[in-house]
Amino acid sequence: MCGIVGYLGNKNAFPILLNGLKRLEYRGYDSTGIALIENGKIDVHKKEGKVRELEQITENQSFKSTIGIGHTRWATHGEPNDVNAHPHVSNSGNLAIIHNGIIENYGSLKKDLIQRGYTFESDTDTEVFVNFIEDIKKSENLSLEDALRIALTKVIGAYAIAIISMDTPNKLVAARKGSPLVLGLGKDEFYLASDATPIIEHTNEVIYLKDEEIVVMENGEYHIKDSRDIPQTPYIQTLELELEAIEKGGHDHFMHKEIFEQPISIADCMRGRLNAEKGELTLGGIRNYAKALQNAERIVIIACGTSWHAGLVAEYIFEDLCRIPVEVEYASEFRYRNPVINEGDIVIAISQSGETADTLAAIELAKSKGAIVLGVVNTVGSSISRVSHEGAYLHAGPEIGVASTKAFTAQLTVLFMIALKAAKNKGTIAENRFQQLLRELSLIPSKVEKALQSNDKIEEISDMFKNASNFLYLGRGYNFPVALEGALKLKEISYIHAEGYPAAEMKHGPIALIDENMPVVVIATRDSSYDKIVSNIQEVKARKGVVIAVVTEGDSLIPGMADFTIEVPSTHESLMPLVSVIPLQLLSYHIAVMRGANVDQPRNLAKSVTVE
Ligand code: F6R
């Protein structure tokens, strides 16, 4: 949440920062701001709203500064408005800061600073933070980095920050703890950003800063030290990310692009891992813990949101294939109770961003109790990938639309491969079944491609339901988590209330909601609970509910009962979520577009939830 950028070099900083903020806007879009050092002074431009509002208020100005910082905000302390927008400047006007994270003890720091004569314009913790640094700097006559280092030992919370100072107009200082920060290394120039997307068009040499590291950039050099002032040797990574992967490429929205990319992103997930012809499956990322996984007495899956839904599907897969009991936990709940974790338990943490604060905290808790943590993460170099013992990347490419689509199907693919491999190692799957599932998995990209061909029909159905106030999604077995995911997609981008339910549970309560105004999306593909879900459709129809059914190609029974049917290709039931979720993604996308909602940046949300 919140995106931060910084630049120091010999180019005009403003357009670099503005462009960087556009790339990071998915992380927060309540307000935006940039601070430069222009003519020896800190020059701040900030505005409530999206980056384009900032662009508009600055379009007739020319900037020459070669140093600056920028921020796009997801509000935590104080409502989104011009005053609360970052950057924040210290009382003397000497320091400007941008901050992603939360300073938990800002209240007591603020009280203290007020007593010492400081005044505050905004409601933010960040304005307190910058004045706290200034106070230490002035009272002890310290350099910016030394004052920052001392300040950081006294603040409680999470941060990725960058600071500039009028006193030292050629110096950029940054630090992180709990929130991500990437340093890009150009020729005599430096880029800072919350993730690599604003950096890759300038350089592909990056350093992912570690927690409690402070970097000082000055005179074409950079130095990284830890919180005890001990120099650190950084690991410079060469990124392979292509610019086109983070652009819309002719699509109206990132979400549309990412939905239609799925045949490729799923294939990318399997590339180099699955060879159906040779009947081989290799997962290099979890080689060292493969034995621990196959021998585990228990697997605990922790995740949030869509990633949690992928975890629910994985529960069914692991239990079926590996015969290992699995529990799927919301990371936010797991970490606030006293969970029973035994030495050697396997914890699988699933996260697209790799930065979700609750998931990170749950991992730390699990590790402290002796669990082995395997990360299933999309963003290379992210915090979760680094704190996990081992893991498997999704390789789905950057997901920029706030509603997760291609990451979900990539998560299912990777989790399926992990389970299949563990089952093979453990001997809980017969060779012919293993080979059959491998082959079936390798066909998923083409089946997803086929499922996407229903797009026009789904658009027509969307038009009929775009004004609905409620939706119910029903599924059984492997399709139950898909029902949850379909409902989440609809509510988050179209703001229509939607609930996902296991179809059989309907009679225990939600059936009371059903009347002629209630669209009910039933995922009724041909599987072991097909007959049961057919009965559930009849129960809905008997109460005049309107049924939109997702069925297996060639189904001749359900089309005679449902009001609308959408066909998907047939596959093994454990792989069906990869295919049956596609129409639900499209349905939510079209309804949201028709309602005029901002599909890629839904209200109140942000892509990377780095607050607890
Ligand atoms: C929904 C969505 C969120 C995320 C959740 C976890 O479309 O994107 O529910 O799935 O915030 O995020 P990650 O996977 O980055 O940990």
Side-chain angles (χ1 to χ4, degrees):
M1 311 211 136
C2 299
I4 70 173
V5 289
Y7 176 75
L8 170 65
N10 35 40
K11 297 190 187 120
N12 187 354
F14 189 82
I16 294 173
L17 296 171
L18 197 70
N19 201 32
L21 290 177
K22 286 183 188 162
R23 298 245 185 263
L24 289 183
E25 208 169 15
Y26 72 89
R27 298 178 65 88
Y29 29 84
D30 297 339
S31 60
T32 321
I34 285 178
L36 306 161
I37 302 182
E38 258 325 298
N39 305 321
K41 286 220 176 67
I42 302 262
D43 181 26
V44 176
H45 303 267
K46 53 186 191 175
K47 187 84 194 118
E48 177 184 346
K50 302 204 156 71
V51 180
R52 67 170 178 272
E53 323 281 339
L54 178 69
E55 199 168 15
Q56 269 164 15
I57 61 161
T58 52
E59 69 190 349
N60 296 324
Q61 304 187 39
S62 71
F63 300 101
K64 292 193 194 63
S65 174
T66 56
I67 179 168
I69 51 180
H71 187 272
T72 177
R73 179 170 187 245
W74 186 87
T76 55
H77 293 62
E79 64 180 78
N81 59 28
D82 292 355
V83 177
N84 287 331
H86 297 214
H88 288 283
V89 176
S90 62
N91 277 191
S92 70
N94 184 28
L95 304 183
I97 193 171
I98 47 169
H99 171 212
N100 167 29
I102 289 182
I103 303 303
E104 287 167 15
N105 59 335
Y106 85 105
S108 56
L109 296 176
K110 186 170 184 174
K111 217 163 130 199
D112 204 39
L113 287 166
I114 289 172
Q115 275 169 6
R116 295 152 65 76
Y118 283 83
T119 56
F120 295 92
E121 287 178 1
S122 76
D123 307 315
T124 65
D125 50 343
T126 307
E127 194 186 9
V128 174
F129 198 6
V130 70
N131 281 299
F132 184 53
I133 299 165
E134 169 152 293
D135 191 52
I136 295 172
K137 184 173 179 330
K138 277 207 307 215
S139 53
E140 300 184 35
N141 197 18
L142 295 173
S143 66
L144 177 56
E145 56 274 28
D146 286 343
L148 173 64
R149 188 165 33 76
I150 293 172
L152 293 181
T153 59
K154 299 189 176 163
V155 297
I156 300 168
Y159 52 80
I161 47 168
I163 316 180
I164 51 176
S165 165
M166 210 161 73
D167 285 350
T168 47
N170 298 313
K171 186 191 276 191
L172 176 58
V173 179
R176 69 153 280 185
K177 182 181 173 193
S179 298
L181 192 56
V182 187
L183 169 64
L185 307 174
K187 191 172 175 323
D188 298 327
E189 58 178 4
F190 303 101
Y191 299 85
L192 281 173
S194 301
D195 69 32
T197 55
I199 297 179
I200 51 155
E201 62 204 87
H202 306 288
T203 173
N204 58 357
E205 304 267 281
V206 299
I207 296 168
Y208 288 89
L209 292 173
K210 299 200 190 102
D211 267 352
E212 303 198 26
E213 282 185 344
I214 300 175
V215 57
V216 180
M217 293 149 270
E218 195 172 20
N219 301 326
E221 293 188 351
Y222 71 97
H223 301 280
I224 299 176
K225 291 186 176 176
D226 70 5
S227 54
R228 291 162 304 155
D229 210 24
I230 298 173
Q232 303 293 301
T233 312
Y235 169 56
I236 302 175
Q237 254 176 276
T238 306
L239 290 181
E240 283 167 18
L241 197 61
E242 301 289 338
L243 190 56
E244 63 188 37
I246 55 166
E247 301 203 315
K248 280 193 206 144
H251 294 260
D252 287 344
H253 301 96
F254 279 111
M255 183 179 179
H256 189 266
K257 177 184 177 228
E258 288 156 6
I259 291 174
F260 279 86
E261 249 169 24
Q262 289 175 106
I264 296 170
S265 54
I266 296 171
D268 284 346
C269 262
M270 299 191 282
R271 199 179 309 287
R273 292 168 165 167
L274 184 152
N275 186 330
E277 270 165 36
K278 290 193 179 156
E280 286 169 5
L281 184 59
T282 324
L283 283 166
I286 51 170
R287 192 182 297 119
N288 296 327
Y289 289 96
K291 271 231 140 47
L293 177 60
Q294 84 193 52
N295 295 331
E297 305 245 316
R298 191 166 76 119
I299 296 174
V300 180
I301 296 179
I302 47 177
C304 303
T306 289
S307 299
W308 184 77
H309 296 156
L312 289 180
V313 178
E315 174 183 18
Y316 294 16
I317 298 172
F318 273 100
E319 292 198 341
D320 180 30
L321 297 182
C322 309
R323 310 306 301 147
I324 302 173
V326 179
E327 283 158 43
V328 188
E329 303 265 4
Y330 283 118
S332 53
E333 288 298 316
F334 177 82
R335 56 176 296 205
Y336 285 117
R337 48 190 181 77
N338 187 11
V340 178
I341 295 282
N342 303 316
E343 193 93 8
D345 277 353
I346 296 281
V347 167
I348 300 181
I350 311 171
S351 174
Q352 187 290 127
S353 62
E355 300 295 347
T356 300
D358 283 320
T359 311
L360 261 170
I363 291 174
E364 296 302 349
L365 177 66
K367 277 172 79 177
S368 73
K369 289 175 181 272
I372 294 163
V373 179
L374 304 179
V376 174
V377 171
N378 195 32
T379 308
V380 175
S382 56
S383 304
I384 294 178
S385 69
R386 279 184 281 120
V387 298
S388 301
H389 289 100
E390 272 199 320
Y393 279 121
L394 304 183
H395 297 308
E399 188 180 68
I400 296 177
V402 164
S404 189
T405 52
K406 66 173 180 172
F408 178 70
T409 47
Q411 287 163 344
L412 296 182
T413 307
V414 168
L415 290 161
F416 192 87
M417 289 191 288
I418 296 176
L420 201 54
K421 184 79 186 168
K424 169 108 169 124
N425 290 345
K426 196 174 174 197
T428 47
I429 188 169
E431 183 60 25
N432 58 353
R433 187 169 179 223
F434 175 79
Q435 294 299 337
Q436 186 211 349
L437 288 175
L438 264 196
R439 268 196 310 278
E440 207 39 57
L441 181 58
S442 72
L443 296 176
I444 290 295
S446 59
K447 295 192 176 182
V448 168
E449 187 83 66
K450 190 112 195 271
L452 287 166
Q453 287 167 10
S454 298
N455 182 44
D456 291 350
K457 182 170 188 190
I458 296 169
E459 196 170 352
E460 282 165 27
I461 297 174
S462 304
D463 196 37
M464 282 178 247
F465 292 98
K466 62 178 188 280
N467 295 321
S469 329
N470 295 289
F471 263 78
L472 194 59
Y473 286 72
L474 301 177
R476 298 181 80 119
Y478 285 97
N479 279 325
F480 158 55
V482 178
L484 296 180
E485 176 59 9
L488 176 62
K489 286 291 87 91
L490 187 72
K491 60 190 148 194
E492 69 182 327
I493 59 168
S494 70
Y495 319 139
I496 296 176
H497 169 251
E499 269 191 71
Y501 241 82
E505 275 292 302
M506 192 181 56
K507 56 187 172 296
H508 299 288
I511 200 162
L513 292 167
I514 292 176
D515 61 15
E516 63 278 14
N517 298 317
M518 175 65 95
V520 185
V521 178
V522 188
I523 307 124
T525 50
R526 222 171 239 296
D527 58 23
S528 48
S529 45
Y530 179 76
D531 294 341
K532 303 273 179 226
I533 204 139
V534 167
S535 307
N536 298 137
I537 292 176
Q538 276 163 339
E539 287 156 17
V540 174
K541 284 313 301 172
R543 283 148 189 95
K544 299 196 171 59
V546 186
V547 172
I548 304 163
V550 176
V551 300
T552 308
E553 242 171 6
D555 188 315
S556 54
L557 180 63
I558 296 178
M561 298 175 204
D563 299 83
F564 303 92
T565 50
I566 303 165
E567 288 195 342
V568 293
S570 115
T571 184
H572 188 274
E573 68 179 301
S574 58
L575 291 166
M576 186 48 94
L578 281 154
V579 183
S580 59
V581 74
I582 304 293
L584 309 190
Q585 295 172 342
L586 288 168
L587 186 70
S588 63
Y589 171 79
H590 288 301
I591 291 180
V593 171
M594 286 169 190
R595 288 167 71 97
N598 187 336
V599 171
D600 282 337
Q601 295 171 347
R603 69 182 181 208
N604 305 339
L605 293 175
K607 185 74 184 158
S608 181
V609 186
T610 54
V611 295
E612 295 167 18

